[in-house]
Amino acid sequence: MHALVYTGTETLVYREEKNPILKNGESIIKVKASGICGSDMHAYHGKDERRIPPLILGHEVSGTVDEGKFKGKEVVLNPLITCGHCDYCSSNREHLCERRIILGISKPMEKQGSFAELVSIPDKNIYELPKGLDIKEAPIAEPTAVALHAVDLGESVLSKPINECKVLVIGGGAIGLLCGLIVSKIKKAEEIVIVDPNKKRLNVCSKYLKADPVHPNSPKIINNSFDIVFDTVGLEITRQDAIEAVKPGGTIIHIGLTQPSGQFDFRKATLQEITLIGTYCYTNKDFEKTLDILSNKKIGSLDWIEFRDLKNGADAFKEIHNGSCSAPKIILLPWKLNNNLTQPTFVIRIFL
Ligand SMILES: [Zn+2]
Ligand SMILES: [Zn+2]
């Protein structure tokens, strides 16, 4: 099969790789679409010790079952593979399973990812593509589940209904935009500010999300004024922005994984009783809820997704890296799926 292989820091090569082997309890999926995630970018920068080259990255994926139990079915994958019998797995908190792995990872166990023509996955991670969700757009289920889990976790500790809250979303990437869309369209919050230094990306976000799109230095980000802050970036500086912006008694939801440590105003966190919640992935229930959200188009149009050929995936990574990319999400297509993108236009001329 062909695959986009991460071979070293900031290097991806589209090349021939061995097909995955069918194992007991698993299926082989013919990948139809696979999204580039922030964590893939983190690996690309050589900063993820769980993703070591050479490795096929990618975990946001839809496709058809090529071999296995559900052969021929159109599916979307939950890429978080868990043991199924530890305390966490048996109490609906599978995402905290000590033996969890995700597609496109080297440690604690290697599992090749979905930037390829084929990928293997346990049968229990396979969901039938719901009606109303385009197979090309379906990889968005994974980051949407991340955002839904984060929003629900935040909502569970708020002291007033989330629709009455002033919300700050830091980061206009897919997770930021999706948190904003869930808070706005599903939770019905009306006062939302979304912040990103990339103007192009903010413009795209503001087309789809009813929010105030601002630059990080904007005077609209008033200290001590937000009931809930989503830090979808996870830099030292964004955490500092979050703690400054949050109201006394408010909540910070920390989702981004960019920088593991740094200065943080724990004094304010203590004196003002700030709730700080770290959030990772989603439970199986969150993933199922997400498929319902997407199939019923509850977060509106997904036209903000951009599609590229998998073989040109290295360019997409480069554009995300250098900030020239305005799309909050790029999805890579390994097969000829998208009429506009990969299929030649045939002009038929009739000579009389
Ligand atoms: Zn992801
Ligand atoms: Zn487990």
Side-chain angles (χ1 to χ4, degrees), residues 16-31:
E16 194 63 34
E17 284 286 304
K18 277 192 194 133
N19 284 4
I21 297 160
L22 185 64
K23 287 189 199 152
N24 219 352
E26 292 199 346
S27 293
I28 309 275
I29 312 298
K30 186 170 171 182
V31 177

Side-chain angles (χ1 to χ4, degrees), residues 141-249:
E142 201 268 348
T144 309
V146 172
L148 179 71
H149 182 73
V151 171
D152 281 348
L153 211 52
E155 192 179 17
S156 71
V157 299
L158 288 172
S159 54
K160 62 181 179 186
I162 194 165
N163 62 341
E164 292 170 20
C165 285
K166 207 172 158 194
V167 181
L168 177 64
V169 178
I170 301 177
I175 299 292
L177 177 56
L178 286 163
C179 283
L181 289 171
I182 290 167
V183 167
S184 156
K185 291 187 185 276
I186 298 175
K187 309 287 183 184
K188 309 292 179 198
E190 286 176 349
E191 269 189 283
I192 305 172
V193 174
I194 186 161
V195 49
D196 196 292
N198 183 337
K199 251 199 187 150
K200 281 200 236 163
R201 217 150 74 155
L202 271 186
N203 282 342
V204 177
C205 288
S206 62
K207 254 171 97 182
Y208 298 89
L209 172 67
K210 235 178 106 199
D212 219 345
V214 301
H215 187 272
N217 300 328
S218 165
K220 286 184 180 167
I221 310 174
I222 301 161
N223 286 355
N224 306 311
S225 74
F226 292 89
D227 298 284
I228 182 161
V229 180
F230 294 90
D231 182 356
T232 72
V233 182
L235 280 168
E236 180 177 7
I237 183 78
T238 56
R239 282 190 287 270
Q240 286 169 355
D241 291 346
I243 188 75
E244 277 175 18
V246 73
K247 243 185 190 171

Side-chain angles (χ1 to χ4, degrees), residues 58-305:
H59 58 266
E60 304 173 356
V61 49
S62 65
T64 53
V65 180
D66 202 44
E67 280 182 75
K69 206 167 154 188
F70 311 106
K71 193 174 164 94
K73 283 230 178 317
E74 289 192 316
V75 295
V76 52
L77 306 186
N78 173 347
L80 195 67
I81 302 165
T82 55
C83 83
H85 40 74
C86 68
D87 279 357
Y88 294 109
C89 285
S90 38
S91 59
N92 300 321
R93 299 176 89 193
E94 308 85 2
H95 61 306
L96 301 179
C97 172
E98 281 170 29
R99 294 170 64 195
R100 72 187 182 203
I101 55 165
I102 196 159
L103 289 182
I105 210 156
S106 329
K107 281 182 181 175
M109 199 186 99
E110 189 184 275
K111 189 76 186 155
Q112 296 290 339
S114 54
F115 294 145
E117 290 175 322
L118 300 167
V119 70
S120 69
I121 185 113
D123 291 333
K124 68 179 169 81
N125 290 65
I126 300 175
Y127 289 80
E128 191 165 353
L129 184 76
K131 277 201 182 84
L133 178 58
D134 187 317
I135 196 161
K136 257 181 23 229
E137 294 174 339
I140 208 67
E142 201 268 348
T144 309
V146 172
L148 179 71
H149 182 73
V151 171
D152 281 348
L153 211 52
E155 192 179 17
S156 71
V157 299
L158 288 172
S159 54
K160 62 181 179 186
I162 194 165
N163 62 341
E164 292 170 20
C165 285
K166 207 172 158 194
V167 181
L168 177 64
V169 178
I170 301 177
I175 299 292
L177 177 56
L178 286 163
C179 283
L181 289 171
I182 290 167
V183 167
S184 156
K185 291 187 185 276
I186 298 175
K187 309 287 183 184
K188 309 292 179 198
E190 286 176 349
E191 269 189 283
I192 305 172
V193 174
I194 186 161
V195 49
D196 196 292
N198 183 337
K199 251 199 187 150
K200 281 200 236 163
R201 217 150 74 155
L202 271 186
N203 282 342
V204 177
C205 288
S206 62
K207 254 171 97 182
Y208 298 89
L209 172 67
K210 235 178 106 199
D212 219 345
V214 301
H215 187 272
N217 300 328
S218 165
K220 286 184 180 167
I221 310 174
I222 301 161
N223 286 355
N224 306 311
S225 74
F226 292 89
D227 298 284
I228 182 161
V229 180
F230 294 90
D231 182 356
T232 72
V233 182
L235 280 168
E236 180 177 7
I237 183 78
T238 56
R239 282 190 287 270
Q240 286 169 355
D241 291 346
I243 188 75
E244 277 175 18
V246 73
K247 243 185 190 171
T251 300
I252 297 173
I253 301 295
H254 191 259
I255 318 171
L257 279 165
T258 314
Q259 216 170 12
S261 59
Q263 290 277 325
F264 183 76
D265 189 351
F266 283 105
R267 191 172 166 79
K268 175 174 173 183
T270 308
L271 292 177
Q272 308 296 351
E273 290 198 347
I274 305 304
T275 306
L276 173 68
I277 302 183
T279 159
Y280 176 72
C281 278
Y282 37 79
T283 65
N284 291 350
K285 271 216 181 87
D286 294 325
F287 199 83
E288 285 154 26
K289 266 207 248 172
T290 299
L291 293 181
D292 176 66
I293 285 171
L294 293 173
S295 81
N296 291 300
K297 310 221 177 296
K298 289 186 191 165
I299 54 165
S301 157
L302 298 172
D303 285 350
W304 43 271
I305 300 172

